[in-house]
Each structure stands twice: as C-alpha cells, then as structure tokens.
Amino acid sequence: MTAHATLRQRRRASHAVFAVAFMFVLSGCEGSGLDAGSFDSALIAVGLADEQPPPALTVDVEIDATPGSSGAVRANIVETLTEVLDAIAGRPGSRVRLWMLNPVSATHLVREIEAPARESGGAVSDDARQEFVARELAESLASLDPLVEAAGAARRSPIAESIARISLADSFGHARHLVVITDGRERAALNLECGAPLPAERFASALRARGLLAPGSLPLRVHLAHLRLAPLRDRRCTATYERESAVRAAWTTALEAAGADVSITTGPPEIEAEPPTPAP
C-alpha cells in the first residue's frame, strides 16, 4: 500500500469519526435522546469499533448419577454439556464448573472451564467456538466417566444439600446459572424416592428447618435438566405420573422460596435469558 493510499484511509476514518461525533453532539443539543450507547452503535456501523460480546456468565453443572437418576445416562451429560459450552463460547470471561453429587460430602468439584478469549476481530469465530466445545466436552467426559460409574453404588441422594453448597461458590461477579442433571428424587434430608409423595409446601419447610435453601439464598437461575423418573428396583419406588408431578412441584416450591428462578425440563437446559446478577 502506498503512502498516498494510507493517507486517504486515515482521512476517511477521521471524517467518519467527525461525522458520527457531530451527529452525537447535534442530537444531544436537540434533545433527541441519543446517548453514549447510540454513539457506540454508530461507530460499530461505520466499522470504527468492534461489537461488544454478550456479558459473561458463571454456570455450575452438577451430575446426579445415583441409581435411577438421569445423570447416570451419558447421552444426557453430553447433551447438557454441549448446550452449556456452546452458550458460554461466545461470552469471553465466562466460567463453567463441573460438580459431581456425592452421597457422603454432598458434592465435589470435578473441573473448571473458562470461555475462549475474544479475538482481534471482536467476536469468537465459529471455528474457534466449535473447537472449544469439542475439546472441553472430551476432557470433561474423561473426568466424569469413572465418577459416574462409581456413583451407581450410592444409597443417598443429597440433592438439596448439594445445591446449597454449590450456591456458596464464587459467582465472579457474573449472572449465574446452576444446572442439575437429576431425577429429583432426594434421599437424604428427606425422601422423595419412595412412599407417599410429599406435599410441596411440607417439603420446602422441612428443608428450611434443616438449614437448607433458606429464603434469599439462591439469587440465580436453577435448571433441573433431564428430569424424568425411571423405575427403581424397589417396588415401592414406582415411577408414576403422580410421583413425577409431586417431585416437580416440591422442587419448584422449595427453590423459588429460596429466591431462585426455576426451570425444569425433560431435556437439556436453555441458557438464554439473563438470571439475576448477584450483589458484589
């Protein structure tokens, strides 16, 4: 490129900046309501600024692989992690933490993942995004597979306690999601697994009496993903429509009473709308 061509480019850029700035000042004087955000948009439109990526998120994913739970199904884990990793791939600074429900200590952290950095052009390219999802999915499954297999011998499912413990982890100042791949059959503080279904309000109040899921303790979005009841070996633990409806109602009531925005799905979660942002 010649010196004259470079000079012409610089002049065009200077003229564009001047034009945008003049519009910004003029519209401000006329009281049109054009603000700094509109000024930024104008700069992006003329190619003088990069489009800003969406805000970072912190997403915790817990696997409940106790007997009969949907978290013990590898396909469910793959589908959920793919959804979560793809959701954060275009949000630089985002973090994912993988947790395993543990019948003794309630839960333990398996690994942490950070979203790819923003590229020079502004956004994360499609190729970089796909590479990130494939790499982190493979590494996550390598860590989770032996833990999922070992969880098949568990006799307790402390779901409520695990949610309470994970909620204490750092949000890094980001809006936060908690995804639990589970059948929702608590068997620790209370029993949602067998016997007569527990009324929703009674379940919530009983958890609070045990110091779990206190009001205001969950300023985040909680997704109970792949929540489907499979038959268990014990005949008393039948997987009926009545029991599944009772399990859904119990968790919705308890989690909402603790301040959570609750989503229950039979498939993977949808990490879309922004959950509440925690106070710094």
Side-chain angles (χ1 to χ4, degrees), residues 57 60 78 80 98 100 150 159 161 173 182 186 235 243 249 268 273:
L57 298 174
D60 293 286
V78 170
T80 297
L98 298 184
M100 195 75 192
I159 301 170
E161 184 180 352
T182 182
E186 168 84 18
R235 290 182 180 179
R243 180 172 297 283

Side-chain angles (χ1 to χ4, degrees), residues 57-63 80 84 95 97-99 107 159-169 175-182 213 217-225 251 255 260-264 269-271 275-276:
L57 298 174
T58 295
V59 185
D60 293 286
V61 181
E62 181 178 46
I63 315 298
T80 297
V84 169
R95 295 170 183 261
R97 289 180 294 231
L98 298 184
W99 305 79
T107 190
I159 301 170
E161 184 180 352
S162 72
I163 290 174
R165 285 178 178 268
I166 292 172
S167 72
L168 299 177
R176 193 172 174 193
H177 294 260
L178 168 57
V179 180
V180 187
I181 309 176
T182 182
L213 308 187
S217 63
L218 294 177
L220 59 147
R221 175 161 292 142
V222 177
H223 307 259
L224 301 185
W251 283 114
L255 294 169
D261 182 3
V262 182
S263 170
I264 300 179
E270 295 182 359
I271 312 295

Side-chain angles (χ1 to χ4, degrees), residues 4 14 16 19 61 77 85 92 98 116 123 130-131 142 172 191-192 195 201 203 212 245 257 259 269 278:
H4 291 293
S14 298
V61 181
I77 298 174
L85 291 169
L98 298 184
Q130 292 173 10
E131 181 183 352
F172 305 104
N191 189 353
L192 289 181
E201 288 293 345
F203 176 71
L212 298 172
S245 297

Side-chain angles (χ1 to χ4, degrees), residues 37-168:
S38 301
F39 181 57
D40 291 341
S41 298
L43 289 176
I44 293 170
V46 297
L48 297 176
D50 293 331
E51 186 173 355
Q52 294 299 309
L57 298 174
T58 295
V59 185
D60 293 286
V61 181
E62 181 178 46
I63 315 298
D64 169 13
T66 54
S69 177
S70 51
V73 180
R74 197 174 195 266
N76 294 342
I77 298 174
V78 170
E79 192 174 16
T80 297
L81 290 183
T82 300
E83 177 73 24
V84 169
L85 291 169
D86 185 65
I88 72 154
R91 296 173 178 262
S94 294
R95 295 170 183 261
V96 173
R97 289 180 294 231
L98 298 184
W99 305 79
M100 195 75 192
L101 187 139
N102 187 295
V104 177
S105 60
T107 190
H108 73 268
L109 181 62
V110 177
R111 69 187 303 257
E112 296 188 56
I113 302 166
E114 189 166 356
R118 186 181 179 190
E119 298 177 355
S120 57
V124 178
S125 70
D126 289 341
D127 287 345
R129 190 170 183 149
Q130 292 173 10
E131 181 183 352
F132 166 77
V133 172
R135 180 183 69 251
E136 296 299 339
L137 176 61
E139 293 182 10
S140 296
L141 292 174
S143 299
L144 288 169
D145 281 344
L147 300 175
V148 169
E149 183 177 358
R155 292 294 177 263
R156 295 176 72 250
S157 300
I159 301 170
E161 184 180 352
S162 72
I163 290 174
R165 285 178 178 268
I166 292 172
S167 72
L168 299 177

